Amino acid sequence: MKRISVDIGGTFTDCFFVWDQQYVEAKALTTHHNLALGFNEALDLACSRAGLDRSTVLSGVDSVRYATTLGTNALIERKGPKVAAIVTHGFEDTIPLSRGRGYGEGLDQALQQNLPAAERPEPIVPRRLIRSVKERVDSAGRIVARLDPEDVRTVLRELVDAGAEAIVVSLVNATENPAHELAVQEIFLDEFPAHELGAIPILLGHQVSGRKGEYVRSTSTIIDGFLHEIMFHALSQLSNNLRGSGYDKPMLVIHNSGGMAQMNSTDALQTIHSGPIAGVGAAEHLSAETGLGHVISTDMGGTSFDIGLVPEGGVKHYDFLPTIDRWLVSVPMVHLDTLGAGGGSIASYDRIHHSIKIGPESAGSNPGPACYDRGGLRPTVTDADLLLGYLDPDNYANGYIKLNPRRARFAMEEALCDPLDLDVLDVARSIKDGVDEQMAIGIGKELRVRGYLPEDFTMLAYGGNGPLHACGIARHAGISRVLAPPFSSVFSACGAGNMKQLHFHERGVHVTFYNATTRGLYDDYAEFNAVVEDLEALGREDLVRQGFAPEDVRYRLELDMRYGNQLLTQAVTVEDIDRVRGVGDVLHIIKKFGDVYSHRFGASSAAPEAGIRCNTIRVASYVAGDVVRFDSLDAGGPRTVPEPVSRRDVVFIGIDGHIDTAVYDDSALTPEHVIPGPAIVTTQNTTFLVEPGWRLEPTRQGAVWFLQD
């Protein structure tokens, strides 16, 4: 296996490079003006560590996989084209009005409760760029009012004259019958051919989302249209860069559904949060291979802290209606909770509470934390870690970045010490403890709201800052077992290397497996199987177009089910049947749903007497491939304490003064060693902080256990 996997974050570009049996990890600063430059720098570093040159590697690897937060950043900054929308006559105000709770979507709980200050987000599509066409399809897919082609031509010309740079078509009930949306597209391409210079993209709602729900399907398509141009140019730029270095295969893009596809089979919307979700995929793969049990994955990078849930048995948690920025969308996305708490998170003075506020604003990679000495003037979490003694200013990121403690001290004194009337170390302690507590609260909330207890989970700490803050987060969260996984500093990039080429296709349905009123079981098997067959055909078409043989395509059936009229929907993976052929299969699906629901919420929570419904049929079409193999995480035999390479004074939370602390390098992280706290281990890509009361037990392949004494 020879492959390159890249995760481009807000601060660092992570590279995981596999060359036969050699695994190499590398990092470089993200170059936002041209992502290819940061990619080349990280790849060159990985190649040098492997003793190879870039052209040899790119001409020999089987694939390059790419995950990015570019789309997320573009939405936050509102950098995109003018998007116009075409809707059904009478629905012109659906998009700007949003839903009743639209003012709060995407905001934290405190802001959602502040009704007097509530404001709906500024629409991506302004009202002046929304037009309607006279047509109507009913809920059963029957055409009630036919589309008038001349009406469509008039509307299209008006929008183009108004400056539209992308056009979204979202008509009522198009998921049941897309004929009118397809007709609008045909007329548009006749009026404005795609081969003309300055061609305008047109996106159809039923192709972006197959689920019912006019508003969420519209917002999904609008965001897809808004990100289309910037993602196309950025990914094309990277693709051209690869071609120039000898790579002649299609570039693969990671999707937020937990799979990947070629660039020409990827919607811009599918790239949102793709990097962190690759990390959740890696956590799932690690748990399955090593028998780790329940896992909570935590990725602390330079900009954010991402939390993913991987219960034992591979039960996936999806967001069926995830919120992206301030917008509710209708795409299946692996659940992820993101906090604005990373190494680059800015610490500011909160005048109201006379305290320190951490994040969500980040210093990013340019200018970065004050200690980077690149023009940053505001204190960050990394500045606090440096002043507390956790980071080596001459050996940060393998010496790639030299840290300046004086800059960090100056920034902290100016912004925080004076208004709080505290010295620098007290402020740094508050920042470190505050961000650890903030992340622990996020973990606890994520687990308890889904019916789990923190003490039942192993916490995976990865990302550039994960092992540095692992003990502090675990202490606040009540977790006693923490694992820094193999390749922890680039674990999300490692996860991208394990992704399957996969496509999800879904359709909203009204299937009642058990009718509580009639006490009857579902019996329209032909209707159910026809939907499954259609979805399989769409997935097979996607993968055959990318060069795979039809017989290599595999399918996984998933159903979104609920009891009666409950709002909570549970995804159920039905791996042992692909069609419903009789009452036995219906009962099998009902039992599968009951088992998953009871396991998650307790045996007494199931309510089959209310009826059992399926809202969505989803088919995952995929082609299996080689994956990175993880070694056993067993502790092994007797251990000894290695000799430290140096010692330095370090400040720890809850302990007055400085503590003389042993400092180790990479050579200490072998299965024969145990490192009692307090201690620091500095490696090429990250720093392990072992707080008092904890010990470090390395395993094979670079995985490291943090265990309480």
Side-chain angles (χ1 to χ4, degrees), residues 252-447:
L252 300 173
V253 182
I254 305 303
H255 291 183
N256 49 28
S257 60
M260 66 178 181
Q262 293 178 12
M263 191 170 73
N264 61 5
S265 297
T266 297
D267 290 331
L269 184 61
Q270 294 172 311
T271 67
I272 300 289
H273 302 321
S274 60
I277 284 172
V280 177
E284 183 180 7
H285 179 58
L286 177 67
S287 177
E289 281 213 334
T290 61
L292 202 52
H294 293 314
V295 169
I296 184 83
S297 65
T298 64
D299 180 358
M300 185 181 180
T303 304
S304 63
F305 180 72
D306 300 298
I307 305 168
L309 197 59
V310 184
E312 188 174 9
V315 179
K316 286 187 182 297
H317 287 284
Y318 285 104
D319 281 332
F320 304 103
L321 295 172
T323 300
I324 295 177
D325 190 24
R326 297 291 308 279
W327 312 103
L328 199 69
V329 298
S330 178
V331 292
M333 184 184 299
V334 174
H335 177 74
L336 192 75
D337 189 20
T338 299
L339 307 179
S345 294
I346 292 172
S348 57
Y349 175 58
D350 185 340
R351 295 179 181 276
I352 295 177
H353 299 97
H354 189 60
S355 62
I356 298 172
K357 178 186 176 184
I358 303 166
E361 187 180 0
S362 173
S365 60
N366 186 21
C371 61
Y372 279 18
D373 214 0
R374 300 185 178 198
L377 299 176
R378 303 172 70 182
T380 66
V381 173
T382 296
D383 293 307
D385 291 337
L386 174 63
L387 294 176
L388 292 172
Y390 306 150
L391 303 177
D392 183 349
D394 298 320
N395 196 27
Y396 181 71
N398 198 32
Y400 179 74
I401 301 173
K402 302 295 183 182
L403 302 183
N404 187 338
R406 289 180 299 174
R407 285 280 188 184
R409 180 178 292 273
F410 174 79
M412 209 161 287
E413 288 174 343
E414 287 288 304
L416 298 171
C417 292
D418 291 343
L420 290 170
D421 194 24
L422 295 172
D423 65 27
V424 169
L425 288 182
D426 286 336
V427 169
R429 275 196 186 97
S430 296
I431 293 173
K432 166 69 166 62
D433 195 44
V435 76
D436 288 349
E437 183 180 26
Q438 188 174 317
M439 292 184 283
I441 290 171
I443 290 172
K445 178 182 175 182
E446 181 66 16
L447 289 171

Side-chain angles (χ1 to χ4, degrees), residues 48-303:
S48 68
R49 289 175 177 172
L52 300 165
D53 64 88
R54 192 204 308 173
S55 59
T56 300
V57 167
L58 286 175
S59 61
V61 294
D62 55 56
S63 63
V64 175
R65 290 108 181 277
Y66 178 69
T68 180
T69 58
L70 179 63
T72 310
N73 298 336
L75 265 181
I76 293 171
E77 298 169 3
R78 293 293 188 270
K79 292 181 178 178
K82 289 183 180 179
V83 181
I86 297 176
V87 299
T88 300
H89 184 68
F91 289 77
E92 297 87 352
D93 293 310
T94 299
I95 294 170
L97 283 176
S98 73
R99 304 196 311 168
R101 53 178 290 189
Y103 69 88
E105 283 163 350
L107 301 178
D108 62 34
Q109 189 173 7
L111 291 174
Q112 288 184 27
Q113 294 173 344
N114 187 9
L115 292 176
E119 290 186 14
R120 295 183 190 277
E122 192 68 26
I124 293 176
V125 178
R127 182 62 180 82
R128 64 182 180 81
L129 288 179
I130 298 176
R131 296 289 190 280
S132 65
V133 291
K134 295 181 177 64
E135 65 84 38
R136 195 59 187 263
V137 174
D138 69 13
S139 60
R142 295 183 294 264
I143 296 177
V144 178
R146 294 197 174 277
L147 192 70
D148 180 1
E150 290 307 312
D151 181 33
V152 174
R153 292 182 192 276
T154 300
V155 165
L156 289 171
R157 290 166 185 165
E158 287 178 0
L159 291 175
V160 172
D161 290 343
E165 297 171 303
I167 292 179
V168 162
V169 184
S170 184
L171 305 180
V172 170
N173 292 321
T175 53
E176 301 305 306
N177 184 349
H180 284 174
E181 286 194 354
L182 293 169
V184 172
Q185 182 185 47
E186 184 178 351
I187 294 169
F188 175 79
L189 294 176
D190 181 56
E191 287 279 315
F192 307 98
H195 62 268
E196 287 188 350
L197 185 65
I200 299 171
I202 182 168
L203 295 93
L204 307 183
H206 79 275
Q207 293 178 345
V208 174
S209 173
R211 261 187 275 170
K212 295 177 182 292
E214 309 306 331
Y215 170 69
V216 289
R217 188 168 69 251
S218 297
T219 54
S220 302
T221 315
I222 287 168
I223 291 177
D224 202 22
F226 185 76
L227 299 177
H228 180 87
E229 182 180 4
I230 187 169
M231 293 303 299
F232 171 78
H233 288 300
L235 293 176
S236 297
Q237 187 180 59
L238 183 63
S239 180
N240 292 336
N241 171 67
L242 293 174
R243 294 251 184 273
S245 299
Y247 181 74
D248 59 358
K249 302 175 185 66
M251 184 180 72
L252 300 173
V253 182
I254 305 303
H255 291 183
N256 49 28
S257 60
M260 66 178 181
Q262 293 178 12
M263 191 170 73
N264 61 5
S265 297
T266 297
D267 290 331
L269 184 61
Q270 294 172 311
T271 67
I272 300 289
H273 302 321
S274 60
I277 284 172
V280 177
E284 183 180 7
H285 179 58
L286 177 67
S287 177
E289 281 213 334
T290 61
L292 202 52
H294 293 314
V295 169
I296 184 83
S297 65
T298 64
D299 180 358
M300 185 181 180
T303 304

Side-chain angles (χ1 to χ4, degrees), residues 513 559 561 577 580 585-593:
F513 282 114
L559 307 175
M561 300 179 66
I577 63 172
V580 176
D585 291 335
V586 173
L587 292 172
H588 175 78
I589 291 172
I590 289 174
K591 182 179 185 305
K592 185 82 171 180
F593 171 53

Side-chain angles (χ1 to χ4, degrees), residues 437-459:
E437 183 180 26
Q438 188 174 317
M439 292 184 283
I441 290 171
I443 290 172
K445 178 182 175 182
E446 181 66 16
L447 289 171
R448 289 186 171 91
V449 79
R450 296 181 179 275
Y452 299 109
L453 296 174
E455 55 266 29
D456 295 335
F457 277 70
T458 297
M459 173 179 147

Side-chain angles (χ1 to χ4, degrees), residues 687-708:
T687 299
F688 295 81
L689 178 65
V690 192
E691 296 191 4
W694 291 77
R695 69 183 185 277
L696 214 63
E697 291 190 1
T699 70
R700 291 180 289 276
Q701 211 175 16
V704 177
W705 284 104
F706 290 86
L707 302 171
Q708 283 186 313

